[in-house]
């Protein structure tokens, strides 16, 4: 029974054509409806800003338990490699104070802790620290439980704090962190520019902003292939493995709505960051953006 | 011929002709420009920069921004050199340098090539130092045949002595420079070094000798660098003697090449004849 709907969707071809139309239409309206404001996108739907916040919240509340399983299934496990590369690019040293925003289930945080462990014992005067911030308590709970299970405690030499908070208004003092990471999270925020401004505020001078996010493929054919996979396979997987269609439909749509590499780079520069660079992984399915507050 | 000259010039200016293998897989990465030189006149003109999208007043402010970023980087690198003795030409040294300059350790990633960027900075800095020193040295008389041996010898030894504080870790630095991705930068600094030495020693040639001098000098410098690493003589007198001997060799080769083929024809023929006799086993001069 549960299979019927996915299969129906699977058969309804021409879906991606619609998707592309919607994308084009959206790009058009986004510039025109400034006077209406308060409107934003939720996947391909246009919703009130308040509503988007609520809807995103619901999505992650419902998927939290299956989040890690679904990541593995949808990316064929490649998301682990992406995150490993992401941590290699950050290359933290002992004494780093990391703020991991939207890091609820701890994927980035645990890699950070591992990376520090592999550097060897920390000098006595340097204590590293990580603050995991997520807007969703359900995701944080999953992360906390994993940390317990994997044995990442304060005794391992790094202070871990779990904080429930909004990336657009962090309850943290200025200039208090040396690195800010956000992996697969900034896409879900209503005001990306506000998130970037907050990142700039909480980072100390010399601090680094790093973002891992889905992006767009520069190659048309590859993008087509990727579109097929996203729209035809991912929601089906969601239905089969997590029993949810809507959240995964939202996932792939929100990826299409997110600005491409160059656009996002200029947004980071507008927030005040310097030396902004990006690197494509897997042909541009995801991109790592990096900037410094100097 | 002028094309080769342009290529060598562009290498000298730090242009990256050979794209490192590492970059091939990620063609979209905007490579940070590696220009740590403080000499404004050497600003590259071929490298596409962010300035292309701005014009007029805004390009002026972007130039300032770029200068500011370069200053921050130079400050971190300068401090990092102080940690090379303890941590080597490494990311750790860069991190410690960043902290000494008042930035958090993670800003070492301003230098994506890690230790290689530090080595490059050090090379560029030493080259600049050498140029300032050479400007005050007395010029030797340069007639058509005379080679300013003393000047070149002094220049090479002075440049090598700048490595003195880092002598223990310099083999590592040479290994870093030999990595394929770092070769373009390494060649660029080497060419800029030998070009500066040639220029300040009075070389104004515009013929093929231009290349011979520079390539020959580069060879001598690299050989001397290797010799210097194991030279424990007082005041590096061993290195000085080595450099002098190599310059003599180079002069000999040049003399041989400058010889008029007609005037040396009898000698050449005799040599060929003797060799032939040797091969045939009928040499009577045993």
């Amino acid at each position: 029974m549960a299979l019927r709907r996915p299969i129906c969707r699977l058969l309804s071809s021409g879906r991606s054509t619609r998707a592309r139309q919607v994308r084009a239409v959206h790009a058009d309206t986004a510039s025109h409806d400034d006077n209406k404001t308060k409107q934003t996108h939720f996947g391909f739907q246009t919703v009130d800003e308040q509503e988007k916040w609520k809807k995103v919240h619901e999505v992650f509340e419902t998927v939290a338990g299956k989040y890690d399983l679904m990541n593995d299934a949808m990316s064929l496990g490649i998301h682990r490699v992406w995150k490993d590369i992401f941590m290699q690019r950050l290359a933290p040293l002992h004494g780093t104070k990391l703020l991991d925003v939207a890091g609820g289930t701890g994927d980035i945080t645990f890699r950070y802790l591992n990376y520090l462990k592999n550097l060897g014992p920390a000098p006595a005067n340097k204590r590293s620290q990580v603050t995991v911030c997520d807007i969703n308590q359900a995701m944080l709970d999953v992360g906390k439980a994993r940390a317990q299970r994997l044995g990442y405690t304060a005794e391992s030499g790094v202070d871990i704090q779990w904080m429930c908070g909004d990336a657009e208004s962090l309850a943290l003092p200025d200039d208090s962190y040396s690195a800010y990471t956000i992996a697969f999270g900034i896409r879900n925020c209503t005001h990306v520019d506000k998130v970037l401004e907050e990142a700039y505020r909480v980072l100390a001078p010399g601090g680094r902003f790093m973002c891992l996010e889905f992006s767009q493929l520069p190659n048309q054919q590859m993008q087509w292939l990727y579109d097929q996979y996203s729209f035809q396979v991912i929601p089906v997987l969601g239905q089969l493995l997590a029993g949810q269609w809507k959240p995964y439909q939202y996932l792939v749509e929100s990826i299409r709505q997110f600005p491409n590499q160059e656009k996002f780079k200029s947004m980071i520069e507008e927030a005040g960051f310097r030396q902004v660079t990006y690197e494509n992984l897997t042909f541009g399915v995801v991109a790592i953006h990096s900037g410094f507050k100097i | 011929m002028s094309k080769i000259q342009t290529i060598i010039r562009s290498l000298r200016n730090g242009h990256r002709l050979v794209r490192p293998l590492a970059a091939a897989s990620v063609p979209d990465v905007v490579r940070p420009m590696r220009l740590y030189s403080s000499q404004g006149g050497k600003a590259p003109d071929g490298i596409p920069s962010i300035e292309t999208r701005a014009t007029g007043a805004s390009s002026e402010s972007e130039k300032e921004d770029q200068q500011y970023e370069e200053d921050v980087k130079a400050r971190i690198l300068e401090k990092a050199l102080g940690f090379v003795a303890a941590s080597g030409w490494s990311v750790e040294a860069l991190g410690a340098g960043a902290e000494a300059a008042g930035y958090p350790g993670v800003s070492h990633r301003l230098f994506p090539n890690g230790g290689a960027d530090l080595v490059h900075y050090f090379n560029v800095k030493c080259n600049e130092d050498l140029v300032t020193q050479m400007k005050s040295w007395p010029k030797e008389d340069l007639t058509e045949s005379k080679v300013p041996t003393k000047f070149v010898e002094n220049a090479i030894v002075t440049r090598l002595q700048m490595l003195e504080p880092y002598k223990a870790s310099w083999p590592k630095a040479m290994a870093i420079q030999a990595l394929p991705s770092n070769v373009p930068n390494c060649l660029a600094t080497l060419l800029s070094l030998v070009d500066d030495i040639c220029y300040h020693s009075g070389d104004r040639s515009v013929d093929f000798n231009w290349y011979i001098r520079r390539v020959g000098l580069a060879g001598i410098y690299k050989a001397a660098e290797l010799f210097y690493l194991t030279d424990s003589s007082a005041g590096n007198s061993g290195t000085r003697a080595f450099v002098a001997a190599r310059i003599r060799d180079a002069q000999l080769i040049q003399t041989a090449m400058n010889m008029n083929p007609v005037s040396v024809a009898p000698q050449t023929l005799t040599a060929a004849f003797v060799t032939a006799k040797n091969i045939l086993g009928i040499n009577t001069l045993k």
Side-chain angles (χ1 to χ4, degrees):
Chain A
M1 209 41 194
L3 267 172
R4 223 174 68 195
R5 207 164 132 220
I7 288 169
C8 290
R9 293 271 186 141
L10 199 60
L11 292 175
S12 70
S13 59
R15 167 141 194 85
S16 64
T17 0
R18 208 192 100 206
R20 219 167 290 130
Q21 278 165 1
V22 177
R23 199 183 322 160
V25 168
H26 180 87
D28 205 29
T29 49
S31 51
H32 286 158
D33 61 8
D34 275 357
N35 47 351
K36 278 188 252 165
T37 57
K38 299 292 171 205
Q39 293 271 307
T40 187
H41 51 76
F42 175 81
F44 290 152
Q45 307 167 31
T46 304
V47 295
D48 283 352
E49 285 187 347
Q50 265 304 309
E51 208 180 329
K52 163 152 179 168
W53 188 90
K54 237 169 53 202
K55 282 184 171 231
V56 170
H57 200 84
E58 275 169 25
V59 162
F60 282 91
E61 209 130 65
T62 49
V63 303
K66 295 272 187 182
Y67 184 75
D68 291 316
L69 170 75
M70 279 307 293
N71 278 349
D72 276 333
M74 291 183 300
S75 70
L76 311 171
I78 298 169
H79 78 103
R80 291 164 189 266
V81 182
W82 291 335
K83 285 166 183 166
D84 285 343
I85 294 174
F86 184 66
M87 196 41 67
Q88 293 291 332
R89 296 293 182 269
L90 176 64
L93 297 173
H94 289 298
T96 304
K97 291 179 76 184
L98 172 71
L99 174 63
D100 180 20
V101 177
T105 60
D107 269 352
I108 298 300
T109 302
F110 300 151
R111 276 173 178 80
Y112 167 76
L113 297 174
N114 260 332
Y115 193 99
L116 290 181
K117 205 171 78 187
N118 291 338
L119 283 181
N125 56 343
K126 284 184 184 169
R127 193 156 176 86
S128 310
Q129 187 189 319
V130 55
T131 304
V132 188
C133 172
D134 202 296
I135 198 160
N136 202 307
Q137 191 62 44
M139 297 283 278
L140 281 172
D141 292 340
V142 174
K144 268 187 211 169
R146 272 178 81 192
Q148 283 283 323
R149 203 171 63 240
L150 298 170
Y152 292 114
T153 51
E155 285 80 59
S156 62
V158 182
D159 297 323
I160 311 175
Q161 286 152 19
W162 302 86
M163 190 183 100
C164 188
D166 187 353
E168 290 175 20
S169 55
L170 295 163
L172 294 165
D174 295 1
D175 301 346
S176 50
Y177 287 88
S178 57
Y180 178 112
T181 58
I182 182 162
F184 303 122
I186 204 161
R187 193 183 69 246
N188 300 314
C189 299
T190 314
H191 305 102
V192 175
D193 47 341
K194 269 191 199 159
V195 176
L196 293 171
E197 272 164 31
E198 278 294 281
Y200 193 82
R201 182 182 67 80
V202 298
L203 278 174
R208 190 177 191 198
F209 167 84
M210 275 191 75
C211 170
L212 178 66
E213 189 53 87
F214 289 106
S215 209
Q216 280 160 34
L217 285 74
N219 183 317
Q220 282 286 309
Q221 282 74 36
M222 296 295 282
Q223 178 73 44
W224 178 84
L225 200 70
Y226 176 53
D227 277 346
Q228 297 307 309
Y229 178 72
S230 305
F231 286 102
Q232 313 296 352
V233 181
I234 284 179
V236 180
L237 279 175
Q239 181 73 44
L240 292 177
L241 296 174
Q244 304 271 345
W245 180 288
K246 280 263 166 61
Y248 297 97
Q249 181 75 38
Y250 161 70
L251 172 78
V252 291
E253 288 179 0
S254 66
I255 290 170
R256 300 308 183 283
Q257 294 289 4
F258 194 68
N260 67 12
Q261 286 91 331
E262 281 295 332
K263 177 88 206 313
F264 188 45
K265 181 184 165 197
S266 62
M267 287 169 80
I268 298 173
E269 277 168 347
E270 263 161 43
F273 289 101
R274 290 170 184 273
Q275 294 283 311
V276 181
T277 53
Y278 67 83
E279 176 184 351
N280 285 339
L281 303 179
T282 320
F283 313 109
V285 172
V286 297
I288 297 176
H289 279 80
S290 155
F292 289 89
K293 177 181 177 178
I294 51 173
Chain B
M1 179 126 9
S2 66
K3 198 171 241 176
I4 306 175
Q5 206 152 353
T6 328
I7 290 173
I8 292 185
R9 284 247 172 77
S10 67
L11 260 181
R12 198 197 128 171
N13 285 341
H15 290 201
R16 301 168 62 88
L17 272 179
V18 192
R19 201 177 252 279
L21 291 172
S25 57
V26 279
D28 282 330
V29 180
V30 178
R31 297 191 72 86
M33 207 190 294
R34 295 215 226 150
L35 180 76
Y36 306 129
S37 154
S38 55
Q39 296 179 353
K42 275 191 179 178
D45 40 17
I47 297 178
S49 73
I50 41 167
E51 281 162 45
T52 43
R53 65 177 149 82
T55 48
S58 62
S59 94
E60 190 66 28
S61 75
E62 285 201 359
K63 212 168 262 173
E64 264 169 39
D65 276 0
Q66 215 172 328
Q67 188 56 45
Y68 170 80
E69 285 167 21
E70 292 302 327
D71 287 350
V72 170
K73 284 183 176 181
R75 214 157 61 228
I76 293 176
L77 288 165
E78 190 58 49
K79 295 274 184 196
L81 284 179
F83 297 91
V84 166
S87 318
W89 303 91
S90 64
V91 166
E92 285 74 27
L94 282 170
E99 274 167 23
Y103 296 107
V106 278
S107 45
H108 74 79
R109 282 298 290 194
L110 277 169
F111 312 101
N113 298 297
D117 281 345
L118 188 55
V119 175
H120 181 66
Y121 168 76
F122 178 66
N123 275 331
V124 171
K125 189 180 92 126
C126 288
N127 287 352
E128 282 172 10
D129 280 1
L130 184 65
V131 169
T132 3
Q133 285 191 36
M134 278 193 300
K135 275 181 187 158
S136 61
W137 292 355
K139 292 262 187 305
E140 284 182 49
D141 259 354
L142 191 74
T143 50
E144 196 57 47
S145 60
K146 202 164 167 277
V147 180
T149 47
K150 206 70 204 153
F151 188 96
V152 174
E153 183 190 314
N154 274 337
I156 294 182
V157 174
T158 311
R159 176 68 175 76
L160 286 175
Q161 274 165 350
M162 291 179 190
L163 307 178
E164 191 66 44
Y166 310 101
K167 200 170 175 179
S169 59
W170 194 249
K172 183 78 195 301
M174 288 180 82
I176 291 173
Q177 290 182 80
L179 289 175
S181 59
N182 304 331
V183 163
N185 269 329
C186 167
L187 276 181
T189 47
L190 179 62
L191 276 172
S192 119
L193 169 68
V194 294
D195 193 32
D196 286 337
I197 293 178
C198 284
Y199 180 84
H200 288 284
S201 68
D203 176 33
R204 298 290 184 277
S205 59
V206 286
D207 52 3
F208 199 73
N209 282 326
W210 193 94
Y211 302 103
I212 295 174
R213 287 207 186 96
R214 276 150 185 81
V215 172
L217 192 51
I220 293 174
Y221 178 77
K222 273 292 162 188
E225 195 178 22
L226 283 171
F227 185 90
Y228 170 78
L229 290 179
T230 51
D231 178 21
S232 52
S233 57
N236 297 313
S237 56
T239 309
R240 191 171 279 277
F242 180 86
V243 174
R246 293 295 79 73
I247 294 175
R248 260 202 314 279
D249 290 349
Q251 272 178 290
L252 269 178
I253 295 171
Q254 192 167 13
T255 328
M257 283 171 66
N258 284 350
M259 267 194 273
N260 188 348
V262 178
S263 67
V264 292
Q267 291 171 40
T268 318
L269 283 176
T270 318
F273 195 56
V274 172
T275 312
K277 275 203 293 190
N278 283 338
I279 292 168
L280 296 170
I282 51 170
N283 197 341
T284 50
L285 284 172
K286 264 184 217 167

